[in-house]
């Protein structure tokens, strides 16, 4: 428990660095672009996209506290830029919870496919399938069990693909020295 609290405290202290805010702004811009141009809407309740990749990089680099605030902020900004139905605070909570979970799994830990698979699975089931389906059923007036199967199948299929994609991108950025530059400027 002490280690978890220390991890949360370290993530909170990331806000003291101007480079953290600057990097979050750049990752936010990438997330908006990817969310706008690299998203496929399958049904009103089902879309596939890559806008979450920059969010997960923030969670990896800056931890659960920065990630949660970034995730919630980006959810609101994306909604304001491109309203898609009514605003649902529950979906913003989901974005924050998912980022917090990713941060707890990834922050200050070595990159590994096994760790990312575990984090993605936990987020996919809790935030996307269980809670996300509930929020969408409230928002759209559709039955929870009516939209649950499609969302479950989509998340199970996308789970290993998204995990592998994150690891490939993160490892490439690590090899290119991008993370070293970001961490160097934080000091």
């Amino acid at each position: 428990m002490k280690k978890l609290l220390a991890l949360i405290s370290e993530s909170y202290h990331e806000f003291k660095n101007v480079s953290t805010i600057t990097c979050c702004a750049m990752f936010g811009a990438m997330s908006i672009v990817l969310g706008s141009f690299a998203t496929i809407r399958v049904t009103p309740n089902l879309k596939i996209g890559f806008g979450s990749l920059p969010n997960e990089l923030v969670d990896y680099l800056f931890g659960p506290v920065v990630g949660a605030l970034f995730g919630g902020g980006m959810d609101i900004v994306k909604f304001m830029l491109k309203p898609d139905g009514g605003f649902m605070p529950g979906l913003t909570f989901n974005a924050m919870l998912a980022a917090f979970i990713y941060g707890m799994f990834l922050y200050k830990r070595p990159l590994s496919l096994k760790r990312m698979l575990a984090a993605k699975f936990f987020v996919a089931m809790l935030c996307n399938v269980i809670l996300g389906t509930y929020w969408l059923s409230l928002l759209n007036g559709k039955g929870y069990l009516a939209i649950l199967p499609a969302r479950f199948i989509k998340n199970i299929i996308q789970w290993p693909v998204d995990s592998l994609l994150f690891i490939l991108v993160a490892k490439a950025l690590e090899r290119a020295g991008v993370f070293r530059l970001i961490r160097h400027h934080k000091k």
Side-chain angles (χ1 to χ4, degrees):
M1 185 64 157
K2 214 173 191 180
K3 284 184 179 181
L4 292 177
L5 293 175
L7 194 70
I8 291 169
S9 175
E10 288 177 41
S11 177
Y12 171 76
H13 284 61
E14 292 281 358
F15 280 118
K16 290 183 178 179
N17 300 307
V18 173
S19 63
T20 298
I21 308 302
T22 306
C23 286
C24 285
M26 290 180 2
F27 282 119
M30 282 189 272
S31 180
I32 290 169
V33 169
L34 286 173
S36 296
F37 299 110
T39 300
I40 302 162
R41 181 164 293 287
V42 181
T43 70
N45 295 313
L46 189 65
K47 61 184 177 181
I48 298 170
F50 301 101
S52 64
L53 189 58
N55 297 34
E56 293 161 4
L57 290 169
V58 167
D59 306 335
Y60 167 69
L61 289 168
F62 306 116
V65 175
V66 174
L69 292 174
F70 178 80
M74 286 309 301
D75 185 71
I76 293 168
V77 168
K78 286 179 183 180
F79 178 79
M80 288 172 32
L81 291 174
K82 189 177 179 183
D84 191 14
F87 179 73
M88 170 55 76
L91 293 173
T92 302
F93 170 77
N94 266 22
M96 295 176 77
L97 180 61
F100 187 84
I101 293 167
Y102 285 131
M104 293 302 286
F105 271 87
L106 303 174
Y107 183 56
K108 297 206 173 198
R109 295 199 166 89
L111 284 171
S112 76
L113 182 58
K114 184 178 174 182
R115 184 183 316 282
M116 192 59 195
L117 281 167
K120 274 276 184 200
F121 184 79
F122 195 67
V123 167
M125 291 304 114
L126 177 64
C127 298
N128 299 349
V129 174
I130 296 170
L131 290 174
T133 303
Y134 175 70
W135 302 129
L136 287 173
S137 71
L138 291 178
L139 185 65
N140 298 331
K142 303 229 176 176
Y144 182 85
L145 294 176
I147 58 177
L148 182 69
R151 292 183 53 76
F152 176 78
I153 291 167
K154 177 250 184 191
N155 277 278
I156 283 296
I157 291 169
Q158 206 166 346
W159 161 55
V161 174
D162 285 351
S163 298
L164 184 60
L165 180 66
F166 174 83
I167 289 297
L168 292 174
V169 169
K171 290 273 188 186
L173 291 172
E174 189 175 55
R175 277 192 304 278
V178 173
F179 295 157
R180 189 173 51 252
L181 279 172
I182 291 170
R183 289 184 179 118
H184 172 73
H185 284 289
K186 289 192 314 185
K187 295 177 182 177

